[in-house]
Every structure is written in C-alpha cells, then in structure tokens.
Amino acid sequence: MMVAEQTELFEKSNDKEVIKCVKQFFSRYFMRLVLKSGKSLASLQSPKYDGMPKAPGVSEDRDGKLVEQADCQIIVESAMEAFQNCTSVASLVVWRSLVRHDLDVQIAMTLHLGHSQFARRKKSAMIEFYYAFTGRLESKGIVNDELDFTDYLRRKPDNSGTNLG
C-alpha cells in the first residue's frame, strides 16, 4: 500500500493542465520575458547534458534596473534555475523542445529513445520543469501556478507625458 501512495505523489488528472501551462509559458511568455529582462536568448546558458547536478548561479546585475525589468529578470532567472534543478535529461528535453524548437525526433535520437519512450519522457520532463519552476518562483515571493505572466508584459502607462507608444 505504501508503494501506491508514493507513486501518487502528483495527481495524474492534473498532468494535462500542467503540461499545457508549461507549453503556454514557453510559447507565449518566455522569449518576451527574456528580451524585456535586458538579456538575449544567446546570453542564457543552455542546460548541459553531462549527468552531473549543478548549483544555480547567482547574478548581481540588478543595480540601476527598472522595477519592471527586474521583475522580468527574476522570472527568467527562476526559469534558468529550474532548468538547473531538473534532471539533466528533463532539462535537455524541455530546453531543446520548447526553447530551441528542435524536432522531437532529433532530441529522441540524442537520448537514444524510441518515439513512444520519448513522448512519455517529454511529458514527465515538462511536469518536472513545472514543479521546479513554480518552486523557484515561490521562493522569490511569486505565486503563479498557471504560469500566466501577461501582467509582467503589459506596458505600464507613462505619467510623465513623454510616452511615445
């Protein structure tokens, strides 16, 4: 009976919603958050597939940044830390699939997995990323289980009268 309780750590009924949230985060928000944070995708380190756990990096480049940019930067950094906190295979699958948009067959070949094995691994990788990411966000005071960052990307009205947009 204890084995059944351990395997039901995450609700199966919630998996589809979690996977949907992760896909929407990367398709709708991630690139815009990266750009709005003052970074470029090229400046972010893609997760390395070497099987060794890595400690998340610390950056001290927030001095003089606007609050809005800092908020976006916190979200991007949390995503990158989540990649580091995931298993190396999960990191590789999510990064190459949802950030770099590599074909599933290319990623499966890298991992020496068949089509159905890869499909299952991709789903579990997205679920793993979700929990790592929401955990990193919560540790920084951001609770956002749906991974909806529309409010962070909306342009704030400029009260100085110099709004050119």
Side-chain angles (χ1 to χ4, degrees), residues 9-160:
L9 181 61
F10 305 116
E11 298 177 30
K12 285 283 185 194
S13 63
N14 194 30
D15 287 355
K16 287 183 181 179
E17 189 63 31
V18 165
I19 291 168
K20 179 182 171 187
C21 288
V22 171
K23 286 180 178 179
Q24 286 180 350
F25 169 72
F26 283 104
S27 67
R28 291 183 183 173
Y29 306 113
F30 184 69
M31 251 339 275
R32 294 188 298 165
L33 286 164
V34 168
L35 294 172
K36 207 163 185 184
S37 73
K39 296 182 182 257
S40 69
L41 190 58
S43 72
L44 301 176
Q45 289 292 322
S46 101
K48 304 291 186 243
Y49 179 60
D50 64 1
M52 299 300 293
K54 304 282 188 271
V58 178
S59 65
E60 297 289 336
D61 60 345
R62 292 193 191 134
D63 293 339
K65 298 270 185 177
L66 297 172
V67 171
E68 184 178 327
Q69 184 178 4
D71 287 345
C72 291
Q73 189 171 3
I74 288 169
I75 296 165
V76 171
E77 287 174 357
S78 295
M80 298 311 295
E81 290 168 1
F83 278 113
Q84 295 298 323
N85 291 337
C86 288
T87 62
S88 57
V89 173
S91 262
L92 177 109
V93 168
V94 173
W95 183 267
R96 288 188 57 191
S97 177
L98 300 175
V99 178
R100 287 185 35 192
H101 306 290
D102 289 351
L103 297 175
D104 284 355
V105 69
Q106 294 171 319
I107 306 166
M109 286 175 57
T110 300
L111 298 172
H112 306 288
L113 296 174
H115 176 71
S116 60
Q117 287 176 313
F118 178 75
R120 285 190 303 272
R121 188 63 190 113
K122 184 176 178 181
K123 288 177 184 177
S124 67
M126 287 188 279
I127 292 167
E128 185 177 338
F129 177 84
Y130 173 85
Y131 287 106
F133 185 42
T134 55
R136 295 306 308 151
L137 289 172
E138 286 174 13
S139 74
K140 296 177 181 181
I142 300 171
V143 179
N144 193 331
D145 292 338
E146 291 82 32
L147 302 184
D148 183 346
F149 295 98
T150 305
D151 291 341
Y152 291 87
L153 295 169
R154 284 200 180 117
R155 189 172 184 158
K156 306 283 191 263
D158 184 2
N159 296 329
S160 68

